[in-house]
Amino acid sequence: MTFLLIAHRGASAEAPENTLAAFDLALEQGAKALELDVRLSADGVPVAIHDATVERTTDGHGPVAGHTLAQLKALDAGSWFGPRFAGERVPALEEVLVRYRGKARLQIELKSEEVELPAGVAALVRQHKAEHDIILSSFIKAQLERARPLLPEVPLAWLVRRFNNEVIQEAAEAGFQSCCQPAALVTAELVREAKARGLTVVAWGVRSVEELGRLVGCGAVAATVDWPDRARKNIERKFAGPARPSTRSG
Ligand code: G3P
Ligand code: MG
């Protein structure tokens, strides 16, 4: 049984999301895959940050798209989470590719609407020969469709907020490899339906280890989690099974 745990924005329960500190920690904890959110800076550089504005996760103000890479790099992306992370920076996607390629699968979420974003990401992926290390995900179907001809060998995962037969059909017709939906909506029946249409099911928004266990039982292949360490230990326990009965007669 392989179930892929994807560290959501890194080990984001324990370190500031979408920073090298969070990604490094996830790897130290044994994560084999990292999720990051990517947007464009004002000068067109793909950077790892979730929100459209910098307020929540840095000491700056205003839209990400209103900052050049140099201006984003001047911000503190760690202190909001805790003083020991002071000085963490907003990583450029390129830094992430260079640092983790070959060490972890990267689920790169095309977060923003800019039509130039898929091409910017694809160029870096080609430049760093990371085609076989990544998955591209997005809630924005058009971004995945823009990425496909640029990186035809890269799996595409469509993020949705609902899960039903219509979504499965739409994802299959679009030629995506996975559909990703809130953990609470995943059922064994829908996973079967998705598989029959050639799609794997990835869950997001997992709230507990119990829910993670339920997802595995339903046949989902992966989930993004903020706490990869706890999740891994729990999954390993689950698949270790009960202790083997002794073969000794006494
Ligand atoms: O794993 C999917 C997840 O990243 C989607 O939601 O808002 O955390 O990017 P969000
Ligand atoms: Mg995301």
Side-chain angles (χ1 to χ4, degrees), residues 8-9 35 37 50 107 109 111 139 159 204 224:
H8 180 234
R9 313 181 196 174
E35 189 260 0
D37 304 288
H50 181 275
Q107 180 171 309
E109 181 180 345
K111 198 70 190 170
F139 282 105
L159 292 158
W204 55 272
T224 46

Side-chain angles (χ1 to χ4, degrees), residues 4-90:
L4 186 65
L5 289 167
I6 306 166
H8 180 234
R9 313 181 196 174
S12 57
E14 295 175 74
E17 64 181 54
N18 284 315
T19 64
L20 299 183
F23 300 139
D24 282 355
L25 180 60
L27 260 60
E28 281 163 30
Q29 295 177 343
K32 302 281 188 284
L34 305 171
E35 189 260 0
L36 63 149
D37 304 288
V38 173
R39 302 178 165 276
L40 287 181
S41 65
D43 45 348
V45 181
V47 291
I49 188 164
H50 181 275
D51 296 3
T53 60
V54 300
E55 270 84 355
R56 184 176 61 84
T57 57
T58 77
D59 59 349
H61 301 281
V64 174
H67 290 71
T68 62
L69 178 65
Q71 288 168 334
L72 288 170
K73 283 288 182 193
L75 304 179
D76 180 337
S79 290
W80 70 276
F81 193 88
R84 74 190 173 95
F85 295 106
E88 278 299 317
R89 300 292 157 198
V90 173

Side-chain angles (χ1 to χ4, degrees), residues 16 20 23 58 69 112 135-136 173 175 190 203 229 232 239 246:
L20 299 183
F23 300 139
T58 77
L69 178 65
S112 53
I135 299 164
L136 288 178
E173 283 171 3
L190 285 170
D229 192 36
R232 182 180 56 78
F239 289 104
S246 168

Side-chain angles (χ1 to χ4, degrees), residues 96-172:
V96 175
L97 291 174
V98 168
R99 194 174 177 97
Y100 304 110
R101 192 183 72 91
K103 296 189 183 142
R105 198 89 193 266
L106 298 173
Q107 180 171 309
I108 301 172
E109 181 180 345
L110 303 171
K111 198 70 190 170
S112 53
E113 308 261 355
E114 298 105 337
V115 294
E116 303 83 5
L117 178 64
V121 170
L124 289 170
V125 167
R126 288 275 182 236
Q127 186 186 333
H128 293 281
K129 299 185 174 31
E131 297 88 343
H132 299 290
D133 296 278
I134 69 158
I135 299 164
L136 288 178
S137 67
S138 190
F139 282 105
I140 308 162
K141 201 178 166 192
Q143 292 296 53
L144 296 179
E145 285 170 340
R146 288 184 188 111
R148 181 172 19 222
L150 306 173
L151 294 169
E153 66 273 62
V154 167
L156 300 177
W158 187 29
L159 292 158
V160 287
R161 294 192 167 83
R162 56 215 154 92
F163 194 25
N164 52 39
N165 286 332
E166 273 171 34
V167 167
I168 292 168
Q169 188 177 339
E170 195 177 338

